[in-house]
Amino acid sequence: MTLLVVLTFGACVEEIEIATLNENEAEAALVVEAVFTNEVITQKVYLSRSEVRLDLETDTIYSPYLPLGSRPVDSIKMETGATVSLLNENGEVYSFTEDEDGIYLSNTPFAMEMDANYTLDINTNNGTGYISDPITVLGTSTITNLYAEKAENDNGEEGIAIYVDSESLEGAAEYFKYTYDETYKIVAPNWQNFEFELTDYDGIDDTVDYSLEVVEKTVEDRICYNTVSSNTIDLISIAGITQGNVSKHNIRFITKDNFIIAQRYSILVQQQVQSANAHSFFKTLQAFSQSDNVFSQVQPGAIYANVHRKDGSVENVYGYVEAVGVTEQRIFLNYEDFFPEETPPYAFNCGFETAKLFNNPMDPCPQGLLERIDLGTVTYYSDYVENLVPNANPICVGPFIFVPTICGDCTVLGNNIKPDFWVD
């Protein structure tokens, strides 16, 4: 059969016409992702398979050209039932156990030692063995300063820039990759301590028996927190620089009208010291993600993966296994410290509304309140007050004022449990 396959690289999508393939030739490739660190932690290995499908409108081949953790998991077939272990040159073996589908965790926490060679050993559930090239933590560096400044981006937009400085500690610390987790506080602007409670409603018409009450809330949904991980490739090289330190490297820029900094914001930055080979690999992926046509210059086969078959058979394996020296630092910031006279808009345009309990199709009125409550799209604000909705059509006025759920319930955007690290 002749097959059109869609490959996704970052935000770029291209169609490639592949010559006639049979089902065996179209078999999905193994994707291996692992970043082992010099921290004493539970280390992780991700295994999956690229997808070959015929539904071009909704399905894709899994892309290995995205940073670890940013995969579009709804289009991935995770590789389950594998045996995974990490071996070092001294004969030590660190075994891994599958925790979730395709995610393998080390049985005990451990740290990679400096200048020691390690290899990742994988045996899939179909009996095929794979092994990585030797990987080594080559150097360490420490973040000496993580700080924020009022700044402008290349488009002339005002905002807050996050910068990092670091100093090399030992070994060959010349190539760096940066990732971050940002956490922000969310306060629902139209929160009230009461909510609608609708029971016995079948959504048919106003002749049904139903009960609608306004009751006190039992769940905290005014203040929430949301954490988002970086999904870009951020690299820097200081190879050949005499000082050997990183100075004012821009990690993140947030425009001043971004609601994530409206209340309180925190960012945890991790700096990873890479090998030259790993840096080259991710540099190539970075170029792919920024290209309008990823196949115009480099074909996928030109990207070197450092995992291969144990028996020497030629097989495409995607992803990369690396050992890095890491350091982390966290800062908090408040919007008013940078823009004291301004307040960024909320994530949604909130407004007060009223509506009859049921919508009569003969009236020029919006969707009835009971139907909206049943769908979970609105939350209670108050009993009807005319001056809150002065432009409401008189024949559409109902007994209550309400707002979109996102405006009165922060759990639409985040988690109502304060993170352990959070400091107000």
Side-chain angles (χ1 to χ4, degrees):
M1 65 178 179
T2 298
L3 179 65
L4 275 178
V5 178
V6 177
L7 287 86
T8 304
F9 295 84
C12 306
V13 177
E14 291 291 330
E15 292 185 358
I16 302 177
E17 185 170 350
I18 298 179
T20 301
L21 298 174
N22 60 43
E23 291 183 2
N24 292 332
E25 290 173 326
E27 185 178 355
L30 180 67
V31 182
V32 184
E33 298 175 281
V35 179
F36 299 109
T37 76
N38 64 335
E39 305 170 290
V40 179
I41 61 172
T42 299
Q43 310 282 351
K44 296 181 182 180
V45 175
Y46 297 83
L47 300 180
S48 58
R49 291 279 176 179
S50 59
E51 288 283 3
V52 180
R53 304 178 184 176
L54 297 179
D55 181 356
L56 298 182
E57 292 185 3
T58 60
D59 297 329
T60 66
I61 284 182
Y62 165 69
S63 170
Y65 308 110
L66 293 173
L68 189 69
S70 64
R71 307 185 304 276
V73 294
D74 58 342
S75 64
I76 300 175
K77 179 182 178 182
M78 304 305 289
E79 181 72 8
T80 61
T83 302
V84 178
S85 57
L86 186 71
L87 320 174
N88 77 4
E89 59 188 0
N90 298 322
E92 294 176 299
V93 178
Y94 301 96
S95 299
F96 289 69
T97 299
E98 189 169 12
D99 180 56
E100 301 176 34
D101 286 354
I103 302 177
Y104 298 80
L105 306 182
S106 61
N107 292 346
T108 57
F110 68 91
M112 303 285 277
E113 297 178 8
M114 276 276 294
D115 297 324
N117 288 326
Y118 296 79
T119 53
L120 181 64
D121 186 281
I122 300 167
N123 289 284
T124 60
N125 58 10
N126 66 3
T128 306
Y130 301 85
I131 195 165
S132 74
D133 293 338
I135 56 174
T136 307
V137 176
L138 296 176
T140 60
S141 176
T142 185
I143 294 177
T144 56
N145 196 14
L146 180 65
Y147 52 103
E149 292 182 358
K150 184 176 178 180
E152 286 189 3
N153 63 14
D154 293 339
N155 297 322
E157 298 173 298
E158 283 190 298
I160 298 174
I162 312 294
Y163 298 104
V164 63
D165 299 335
S166 71
E167 293 181 358
S168 297
L169 293 179
E170 58 180 331
E174 298 180 318
Y175 302 96
F176 302 87
K177 183 172 68 173
Y178 292 91
T179 65
Y180 63 79
D181 291 331
E182 58 183 351
T183 303
Y184 50 91
K185 185 177 182 179
I186 304 163
V187 179
N190 300 130
W191 177 86
Q192 293 290 343
N193 194 32
F194 296 90
E195 62 184 348
F196 293 121
E197 185 176 83
L198 177 63
T199 55
D200 299 324
Y201 173 71
D202 64 8
I204 299 176
D205 55 38
D206 58 1
T207 63
V208 299
D209 293 327
Y210 68 91
S211 173
L212 177 62
E213 297 181 83
V214 175
V215 299
E216 191 168 354
K217 288 183 175 178
T218 58
V219 175
E220 166 56 48
D221 59 5
R222 177 175 176 265
I223 297 176
C224 292
Y225 306 84
N226 192 37
T227 297
V228 179
S229 298
S230 55
N231 61 358
T232 57
I233 300 173
D234 185 359
L235 305 170
I236 187 173
S237 169
I238 59 171
I241 298 176
T242 304
Q243 294 295 326
N245 297 327
V246 175
S247 178
K248 204 171 187 179
H249 176 62
N250 186 202
I251 293 292
R252 178 84 163 96
F253 180 84
I254 310 169
T255 57
K256 69 177 183 180
D257 59 353
N258 192 327
F259 93 101
I260 70 173
I261 54 175
Q263 301 295 329
R264 186 160 170 79
Y265 171 91
S266 178
I267 186 169
L268 174 67
V269 173
Q270 183 180 90
Q271 176 183 268
Q272 302 175 1
V273 177
Q274 298 183 293
S275 67
N277 287 339
H279 185 82
S280 177
F281 177 87
F282 285 98
K283 196 74 174 177
T284 303
L285 302 194
Q286 188 181 53
F288 271 137
S289 67
Q290 294 172 353
S291 172
D292 291 333
N293 184 345
V294 298
F295 302 107
S296 63
Q297 299 176 5
V298 184
Q299 292 298 314
I303 299 179
Y304 175 69
N306 63 345
V307 179
H308 49 85
R309 287 273 294 265
K310 290 181 184 178
D311 61 10
S313 301
V314 176
E315 178 182 326
N316 287 330
V317 180
Y318 295 116
Y320 204 84
V321 177
E322 61 176 327
V324 299
V326 301
T327 180
E328 294 181 340
Q329 194 171 127
R330 176 185 296 279
I331 59 170
F332 290 82
L333 60 87
N334 294 317
Y335 187 85
E336 59 267 24
D337 293 335
F338 298 86
F339 303 100
E341 304 299 326
E342 303 176 59
T343 302
Y346 188 59
F348 189 82
N349 185 20
C350 300
F352 298 123
E353 299 180 63
T354 186
K356 294 190 296 185
L357 296 181
F358 296 93
N359 179 33
N360 186 338
M362 303 301 294
D363 293 335
C365 295
Q367 184 181 31
L369 176 58
L370 294 187
E371 185 178 357
R372 298 194 202 191
I373 296 172
D374 190 49
L375 293 172
T377 60
V378 297
T379 188
Y380 174 84
Y381 184 77
S382 73
D383 290 348
Y384 176 73
V385 179
E386 182 177 358
N387 62 8
L388 289 181
V389 284
N391 298 319
N393 187 326
I395 67 172
C396 301
V397 169
F400 303 106
I401 301 293
F402 52 86
V403 294
T405 302
I406 194 173
C407 303
D409 181 352
C410 68
T411 61
V412 176
L413 295 172
N415 191 310
N416 60 6
I417 300 175
K418 181 188 291 189
D420 293 337
F421 62 79
W422 192 263
V423 178
D424 286 310

